[in-house]
Structure formats: structure tokens, C-alpha cells
Amino acid sequence: MADKQYDWGAIARNPKFVELHHKKTVFLFGWWIFSSVYYFLLPIGAAYAPGLFKIQILGRVNFGYLFALSQFFVSWGIAMYYAHVANKDFDRLTRELVDELK
Amino acid sequence: MKKLFAAITLALTFGAFAYAAEAPKAPAAGTGAPAVAAPATAAAPAVTPAVPADAMKAATPAPSTPEKKTLKANPYVTIPIFLIIIAVTLSVVIWSAKKTKSAADFYTAGGGITGTQNGWAIAGDYMSAASFLGISGMISLYGYDGFMYSVGWLVAYITVLLIVAEPCRNAGKYTLGDILSFRTEPKPVRAVCAISVVAVSTFYLTAQMVGAGKLMQLLLGIPYKWAIVGVGILMVGYVVFGGMTATTWVQIIKAGLLMTGAAVLSVLVGLKAGMSPFQFFNDIATSPNIMEHVQKVVLKDPLPVPGFDYGQRFLEPGLFLKAPLDQISLGMALVLGTAGMPHILMRFFTVPTAQAARKSVIVAMFIIGSFYILTTLLGFGAAIHVTPQGIQAVDKGGNMAAMMLAQKLGGDISPFLGDLLLAFLCAVAFATILAVVSGLVLAASAAIAHDIYVNVIKDGHADQHEQVMAARVTSLCVGAMGIIIGIAAEKQNVAHLVALAFAVASSGNLPVVVLSLFWRKFNTAGVISGLVVGTIASIGLVMVSPNMTYPQKIADDAKKAIVKLEEKQASGAVLAEKELKDLDKAKADFAKNDGGKSFLGLKKPLFTLKNPGIVSIPLGFLAAIFGCLAFPSRRSEEMFDEIYVRQNTGIGMAKAIDH
């Protein structure tokens, strides 16, 4: 497969690529750090703040249960939000860049 | 030709199962339906990595005491369901064998899997019998902590989604080695990487194989060895003939079966509580059996403390996971390790574009997340309807909770339905094992055949036919090794191997993947030092951790029991028959283990955590960074632009369908 030769350095300096790469880096690492912090609050909270986890909120359902359940929805939320931003923004920038290089 | 092979596989499999099904009849002649006695050993891999000391003890081979209770699977219902699953999967294999002609077909199904299909396959590849049986069992015995434990397995996919899935699709071809060797010296990097991949896959595979053997033994009464051989032959058959296409479809089928089983049971559990979550939680907190279990078995209060709500305590943390640092360490290994698991990474090469890779992770996250939420219902449902006492009478570790729930809830409607649901769940567990082990065998063989054979030994000069041949032969050898290791490890304590696999993936593989993709200066020395140090640190720490068996500790515990019982005897009390037996057993244990040393000659663990991640992950990253800074490489830096542009945009990526 003789692929077309690209000047990778030039693409890397292309303003469109710089914009894409900057946006992606901020978004991806930002949300990754958020999700990790949110997740580690669960084992840390369960171990060091058991009083908080025991507070009953909805009948017998306590804060700890709701917090653990919220982890699922937060993860799904981040995934859906990422898909939305990526489909709308990142893919568009990538397409524009690829078209420009043709 | 291929059809012939497939026919032979089919025949061998049926042969193995038929033999296996007949074998137990000899000793149990005339007892009718083979009642399956559950041994006290927890089906090891089903027990999850963070098992505390007492559950661990249960996993070490205990002398076979006569069982009070058994779980009966009706063979007239179970065997046909198994045969249907085997027949369906084997026809998938025959169909995919026709399509598997090139190396790309074999390793990546020609890139022709859609995002949604891949999402189901990822879920099928990932959710092992441990998730299904182990976590529901943990919830049924320890309540909230089991649920908390399951969370990390989903959150791990955020890392996969945000950091590795799309870059790997864009920059990779068949294996982890392809990504790592992109701007480094390919030979040493591929060789070291293949060793790490094979190590991770072997640990995980061994745990799964031993679990498969124990589970089949437990559910169907097939002798351990024959269960392993049967599962092994099927797994080898799928991978050797059908490659990635067959493996993918087996995983999709399994994920579908697993979700169906979990959903049906959850609906039955929900109906019992009138579909009201409040009623459900009320049922848990007011169940006298759960209260008694929490009081006597978990908290060990001889008499109830007045005013203490033991039922509500079941819904609060701290009954099972008592070492927060270990939990955090496990959490790190999950969050970073899943993204470094070769069999998961490999799935991203099967889709045509980065968009499809993204979609597949999101689909997988919804399946996996829903599954764990349903697992909570199953676990709590089992606690209410089967009762913790009933579950522990069959299996101390609780691994049979979901199965018993199926039999109970189905049986409440009609006895046949109980048998049918139980048989269906057994079949789901069976399909689960097959799907996971096939993925692992494929990942390990890809590392050996593609990285070592084709690219290191043959310098990348091998035609399609030779590449496919190499892949098939390697899969056969890896599968055969899996069977041998599985049989050899029957009596071994394998519960730590899952933790070990995640530890190596998170400390060895993940740091070098991330740094390769995102750090300009990263180079050959960095990859090698990161992989070697991360892998050795995780293995080394597990070897000196409480995961291993320490005879001195067993002897000390036995000593305590002897002292206690003898004191009771001395005070004039007459020991019950059971206590006398316990005393004899403790004395024997003491005599056997006193002064003994662990595998590495230790009297007690040097490292107190079961999960090494919290130490080994930083070590892996540091080693990768220092190794790379110590031996800088201009070429690697110059090539960064290329990999960075490729992984972000997919420009010039290995064509998914490349001919």
C-alpha cells in the first residue's frame, strides 16, 4: 500500500490542526480528571465519611446508594456529552482539515 | 477443508461433553439426576479481586466436608440449552471461517464490524463470570459494598472512551505493538510488548479457565478436567477457524444472553416488590433473615444490640470492603487498567473509523452500566428471596446467589420454569466464559504471531497466507497452553490473578500507550523501561502481598481456634460434635502449616495491600519517563508530529479494508 506522502510537520502547524488539538486536549483531559475525581470520592467517602453515606433520603434509600447510582449516570452523561461535542465539533474540524489537504 | 476442521471440532466437543456427562454416573450410580454438590471452595475467579481475608480463606482448597445443601440443575433442560448454544456458535464459526482469508480478516474481522456490533462485543468481552456471579453474590451477602465495588468496572470506560479508543483506531493496525513501535525501534519494542501482552492474557486466562472448570463442575457435575478440556476445545475452535469474526459474534451472542437473563430475573424480582423501589428497599431492610445474617455472621454480635437497625446496616458501606487504601488501589488499576487490556484494545481495530470506535465504547458503556444496575437487583433480590443463610449453605462465597434466585423465582411460578431459568442462567455463565476466554486467546496469539513471528523473526516479510497460518498455529498453541495451565492450576489459589492482570495492564501497558500517543519526547528506551518496570513491579508486589498463601498465618489462626476450643473444654463445657471436628481440623492445620513459608519464603506479607496499583502505576509512569529522558532519540521526537496528526485525524490510517 503506497500511501500518499504527507508532510506531517506542516499539518501539525496548520492552524486548523492546532485548534482541533487544543480543543480536544482541554476537553478530553478535563473531563477525564473530573470523572476520576468523582469516582474516587466514592471509596474515599464510604471509608472516611460513613455518617454521610448513612443519611436516609428517600425512605430507606440512603445517600450512599444514591451516590453510587449517580456514578453510572454521571459516566453515561459524560459519554453522551463527549459524543455530542465530538460529532459536532471535533469531527467537523477534522473533516475541514482533511478536505484542505486533498 | 475448513468445514472438515469445523466438523472435527464439533465432534471432539460433543465427545468431550458426552464423556464428561457420563463419567460422574459411575460413582453416583442410581442416584438419578446428578445433584451437584457445591464444594466449599468459592469458584475462584468468580470471586473478585478485592476479596477480604476470610473470603480468601474460603477460596483455598478446604477439606471436603459433607454439604448440607445442593443446587440441582435438571439435566434434561440444561443439556439441550447447552447444545443449542454450542450449535449456534459453531455455525457462526463455520460461516466466519469462510470469510477469514487475510491477516486483517483474522485479527480485525477485516475492519468490517459496525460501531453498535462492536459495542455489544466489548461488553461481551469484558463482563466475565466474575461480574455476573461474583458481584451479585457479594451484594447478596454484604449489601451495599458489593454495589460500590461494581461501579469502578463501568467508570473505567471513561478512560477508554476519552483517552485510548479513537487514537488507537487511528494509529494502530492489529495489536498494541503496532502502536508502540510506530516511532521507536520496532524489534525490541514489539518483543517486550508481546511479553507483557502474553503475561496479562495468561493471568486473566488462567483465572477464567479455573473458574470455568469449577463452575461447570458445580453446575453440571462434569469433572473439572473434562470441563476445562471441553471449554478449551470450543475456545480454540472459535479462534483458530473463525478468528476475530467468530470471536466477535460469540461475544455479541453472549452479551445478548447475559442481558436477557439479567433483565428477566430483574423483572421477576421487581414483580415481587410490586415494581416499587421503596417497597423493594423496605423488603431488604425489614427481612428478618438479612437482619440475623448481618448481626451474627457479618458483625458477629452474639446478641442483637438494642435499637440497632441491622436491616438498614445492610444498605450501608463497610460490611465487606474494610481497607480503603486497597479499594483506592483497585480503583486505580480498574480505571487505568481496562484501557491497557490487550483484548479490549484489540476490539478497536475491528471498526472502520474513529467515529465507530467512539460509538462502540458508548454502546458498551450503556450495556455494561445497565448490567451492573440490574446486578444490584439480583443481589438484593437473592438476599430477600433466597436468604443469605440459604446462599451460604450452598457456597460460602455467595457465587451461586444469582443461580439460586433464578431457580427460586421461576419455581414459585412453576417447577418447570424454575428448572428452565436455572438452566438458562447456567448456559449464560457458560457462554460468558467462552466469550471472554476466546477474546484473550486471540489477543495473546496476535501478540505472538503478528509482533514476534511476523515482525521480529520475519522482519515483516510474510505473505497473507503465511500470516494467517502463523496466527492459526499460534492460537492453537496458546489455547492448548490455556487448557494445560487450567488443569494444572485446579488446586491453586487463582483469585489474585484477575487483580494481577489489571495491575500489569495499568502499570505496564497503559503508561507507555498514553505517553506514546501524547508525549513528543517518548522513545524506545521509555517504552521498554516503562513496560519492564511496570510489569515486574506489579508481579513482584503481588508475590509478597496478602494474596499469596502464608502457611504461618494459617497455623496462627488454627492456634487461636485450638486455644479457644480448649479453654471451653477446660471450663467443663462439653463440645458439640461439630466443635470437636473443628478442633481436630485446627490441630491438623497447625501441625501442617506451623513454621511454613510462602512461595517466596516469607512468613507474612511484606506489602499489605492486595492491589498493587497505587504503588506500581506511579512506578510504571516514572520508569517510562526516566528511561526516555536518559536515552533521548531525535528520530522519535521528529516522528511525533506524524503519530499525533494520525491519531487525531485518522489521516493515512491503515485502511480498514485494505484490499
Side-chain angles (χ1 to χ4, degrees), chain B residues 49-400:
Chain B
V51 227
D54 35 357
M56 234 36 205
K57 259 180 261 155
T60 53
S64 52
T65 43
E67 283 302 317
K68 293 144 242 156
K69 250 189 120 177
T70 55
L71 181 67
K72 284 180 194 165
N74 182 343
Y76 298 105
V77 188
T78 313
I79 290 175
I81 295 189
F82 270 62
L83 291 181
I84 292 172
I85 290 185
I86 294 174
V88 169
T89 50
L90 283 180
S91 39
V92 167
V93 172
I94 294 171
W95 165 75
S96 34
K98 283 186 207 142
K99 295 177 47 170
T100 305
K101 296 193 181 77
S102 67
D105 293 336
F106 191 88
Y107 294 124
T108 67
I113 306 286
T114 68
T116 311
Q117 288 167 350
N118 196 39
W120 280 89
I122 292 171
D125 206 357
Y126 186 65
M127 297 184 293
S128 58
S131 327
F132 174 42
L133 301 175
I135 294 181
S136 56
M138 204 195 278
I139 296 172
S140 73
L141 296 181
Y142 303 99
Y144 181 81
D145 279 5
F147 181 42
M148 190 172 97
Y149 177 84
S150 71
V151 170
W153 299 82
L154 172 72
V155 175
Y157 273 86
I158 292 287
T159 314
V160 177
L161 175 68
L162 298 183
I163 315 279
V164 304
E166 294 175 48
C168 284
R169 165 59 271 176
N170 282 336
K173 198 175 168 203
Y174 301 153
T175 64
L176 186 61
D178 290 332
I179 300 169
L180 297 181
S181 62
F182 198 87
R183 57 191 177 112
T184 54
E185 284 167 43
K187 282 194 177 186
V189 166
R190 279 186 191 275
V192 174
C193 172
I195 293 171
S196 146
V197 167
V198 171
V200 173
S201 310
T202 312
F203 296 146
Y204 211 78
L205 184 63
T206 307
Q208 297 292 334
M209 288 299 270
V210 175
K214 297 231 164 111
L215 202 63
M216 291 300 115
Q217 196 181 23
L218 206 74
L219 293 172
L220 299 180
I222 300 174
Y224 179 85
K225 245 183 231 168
W226 288 107
I228 298 260
V229 172
V231 167
I233 289 175
L234 278 176
M235 140 189 117
V236 170
Y238 296 158
V239 177
V240 170
F241 300 113
M244 182 54 102
T245 314
T247 307
T248 304
W249 283 100
V250 169
Q251 287 165 347
I252 295 174
I253 293 170
K254 164 268 176 103
L257 287 173
L258 187 59
M259 291 306 287
T260 311
V264 168
L265 272 187
S266 301
V267 169
L268 290 178
V269 168
L271 285 173
K272 289 260 178 189
M275 286 294 169
S276 149
F278 298 103
Q279 183 60 40
F280 183 61
F281 279 94
N282 219 28
D283 287 350
I284 302 167
T286 54
S287 153
N289 289 309
I290 295 178
M291 285 184 194
E292 192 199 297
H293 169 78
V294 172
Q295 180 215 326
K296 290 194 176 148
V297 180
V298 184
L299 296 177
K300 300 196 165 63
D301 291 345
L303 290 171
V305 176
F308 189 86
D309 189 346
Y310 286 100
Q312 184 66 27
R313 183 70 187 82
F314 197 65
L315 297 171
E316 290 164 2
L319 291 181
F320 187 74
L321 307 171
K322 288 170 184 141
L325 213 52
D326 228 345
Q327 282 322 296
I328 293 166
S329 190
L330 172 70
M332 289 175 69
L334 285 179
V335 166
L336 297 172
T338 306
M341 278 289 179
H343 66 294
I344 300 289
L345 280 181
M346 200 174 174
R347 292 235 50 95
F348 296 112
F349 306 130
T350 64
V351 289
T353 59
Q355 284 80 1
R358 182 189 305 149
K359 189 175 173 194
S360 60
V361 187
I362 293 172
V363 170
M365 283 180 71
F366 276 94
I367 300 169
I368 296 169
S370 322
F371 173 73
Y372 284 125
I373 293 179
L374 294 182
T375 308
T376 329
L377 298 182
L378 303 192
F380 282 133
I384 301 172
H385 303 295
V386 189
T387 76
Q389 292 81 356
I391 295 165
Q392 283 202 318
V394 168
D395 182 87
K396 275 262 178 274
N399 291 308
M400 288 298 118

Side-chain angles (χ1 to χ4, degrees), chain A residues 21-32:
Chain A
H21 136 89
H22 177 73
K23 275 191 172 170
K24 264 179 115 167
T25 312
V26 170
F27 185 95
L28 298 179
F29 285 93
W31 281 105
W32 184 76

